[in-house]
Amino acid sequence: MVIRQAILNDIKAIMELVKAVVPLMNAAGNWQWDDTYPNPAAFEKDISLKQLWVADVDGEIAGIAAITTDQDAEYAQVGWDLNEIAIVTHRLAVSPDHQGKGIAVALLQQAEKVAIDRGIPLLRIDTNSENEATQRLFPKLGYEYAGEIDLAFRPGLRFYCYEKRLL
C-alpha cells in the first residue's frame, strides 16, 4: 500500500469508491453521505489544494482522506478554539473491498505526518453518530472524544468530535 496525494486522474476511481461506500453507510443508518455529497467538485477542490490523499493498493484506490486545516464553525459547540490551527481529516472512506486491512489507520497516520511536517501539534476529526467503526477506531489511535455537534450542511444528523494532541 502506498499513501499518496490524489491527482485529477483519480477522480473516477474515487467516485466509484464513494458509490460503493454510500449504500453501506446508509444501510447502517449513517446518512452523512448521499448521491450529492461528496461529489467530484469537492474532490477536485481538495486536489487543487493538495489536501486529498489516497491509499493505493496495487494501482487501485482503496481509501481516501482529505487532510486539511478546515474547521467547521460548529466545532465551537464542543468548546474548541477555532483560532487554534489543527489538522482536520474530512471525507475519510475505505473501499468495501479493503475494509479491515488498516487502510483508515494508514490514512490517519498520514494526517499525523502532515501535522508533524507542518509543525501543527493538534489533530481533529468528526464522525456521524451512527458510524460505530470510526467511534472504535479513533480512540485506539489516541483521539479523545470531545463532544457532539450538529452540522448546518447535514441537518438532522449528529456528529461526534475527537481530537489528538501530538507531543
Side-chain angles (χ1 to χ4, degrees):
M1 169 179 26
V2 174
I3 304 297
R4 62 171 175 80
Q5 285 194 313
I7 58 174
L8 287 175
N9 284 347
D10 293 326
I11 295 284
K12 182 179 180 205
I14 289 167
M15 291 311 301
E16 288 172 4
L17 183 151
V18 169
K19 186 178 177 182
V21 167
V22 168
L24 298 177
M25 293 171 71
N26 295 168
N30 179 352
W31 301 97
Q32 183 171 354
W33 289 4
D34 57 26
D35 59 353
T36 63
Y37 177 86
N39 54 44
F43 292 121
E44 289 167 10
K45 180 179 177 188
D46 286 335
I47 290 168
S48 74
L49 295 171
K50 299 189 181 315
Q51 64 186 22
L52 187 64
W53 295 81
V54 297
D56 185 320
V57 176
D58 299 325
E60 180 182 350
I61 304 295
I64 56 172
I67 300 173
T68 78
T69 54
D70 301 333
Q71 298 187 73
D72 293 307
E74 292 91 345
Y75 283 0
Q77 295 172 25
V78 295
W80 285 346
D81 178 358
L82 302 185
N83 293 315
E84 186 175 15
I85 297 173
I87 293 296
V88 184
T89 302
H90 293 287
R91 294 176 287 288
L92 174 67
V94 176
S95 163
D97 295 336
H98 293 280
Q99 291 178 354
K101 298 178 182 176
I103 304 291
V105 170
L107 288 164
L108 290 169
Q109 288 170 337
Q110 181 62 37
E112 287 191 35
K113 183 180 182 315
V114 169
I116 291 165
D117 289 349
R118 294 182 61 187
I120 300 172
L122 181 61
L123 295 129
R124 290 180 172 158
I125 195 166
D126 66 79
T127 188
N128 186 279
S129 61
E130 300 301 319
N131 191 333
E132 295 176 5
T134 53
Q135 292 169 42
R136 288 189 304 271
L137 176 63
F138 298 159
K140 286 180 185 176
L141 297 177
Y143 285 80
E144 294 183 15
Y145 176 76
E148 187 175 332
I149 65 170
D150 56 11
L151 291 171
F153 84 103
R154 282 292 182 234
L157 301 180
R158 300 297 293 169
F159 295 85
Y160 296 156
C161 293
Y162 295 82
E163 76 176 356
K164 179 177 182 175
R165 292 198 179 268
L166 302 174
L167 299 176

